[in-house]
Amino acid sequence: MTATVFCRKYQKELEALAQPPMPGPKGEELMKTVSKQAWQAWLEHQTRLINEKHLKVFEPQTRQYLLEQMEKFLDNQETDQAEGYVPPENS
């Protein structure tokens, strides 16, 4: 049976992450409050931000910015968007 978690983004029980998405207490917290589906959605959003804003992920201020955006995204708050990005139409 697949483990589930009450996802803070989607506000319902969904499949849990198989392992913490980052080390330390933050990773443990995310494991308990974020679903696999929400984490995948965040990774896609993060990738768009990195690519479109030409972020340098090795810079500390970029990592801090992405952590702040992640919290907003997972809490359904307004986040920065990749300018010019047009989501694909659902067929």
Side-chain angles (χ1 to χ4, degrees):
M1 181 162 169
T2 304
T4 63
V5 64
F6 186 80
C7 180
R8 74 191 227 201
K9 177 155 184 67
Y10 296 117
Q11 294 295 301
K12 60 183 177 180
E13 286 286 327
L14 291 168
E15 184 178 349
L17 292 164
Q19 61 190 27
M22 59 182 60
K26 188 62 175 170
E28 293 299 323
E29 175 197 331
L30 292 170
M31 181 104 177
K32 294 175 185 171
T33 61
V34 176
S35 68
K36 183 177 177 181
Q37 177 184 349
W39 188 251
Q40 185 61 44
W42 161 246
L43 291 178
E44 291 169 8
H45 184 73
Q46 175 182 248
T47 299
R48 283 192 297 275
L49 289 175
I50 291 168
N51 290 340
E52 296 297 323
K53 294 183 177 290
H54 306 285
L55 299 176
K56 296 177 179 133
V57 294
F58 55 85
E59 294 179 348
Q61 63 268 30
T62 297
R63 289 195 302 271
Q64 183 61 40
Y65 166 77
L66 289 172
L67 281 173
E68 291 167 5
Q69 291 300 303
M70 176 191 74
E71 291 295 334
K72 289 179 180 181
F73 181 86
L74 294 173
D75 288 335
N76 292 312
Q77 297 175 5
E78 189 171 325
T79 60
D80 290 350
Q81 299 296 312
E83 288 113 34
Y85 173 73
V86 178
E89 291 185 28
N90 293 334
S91 309

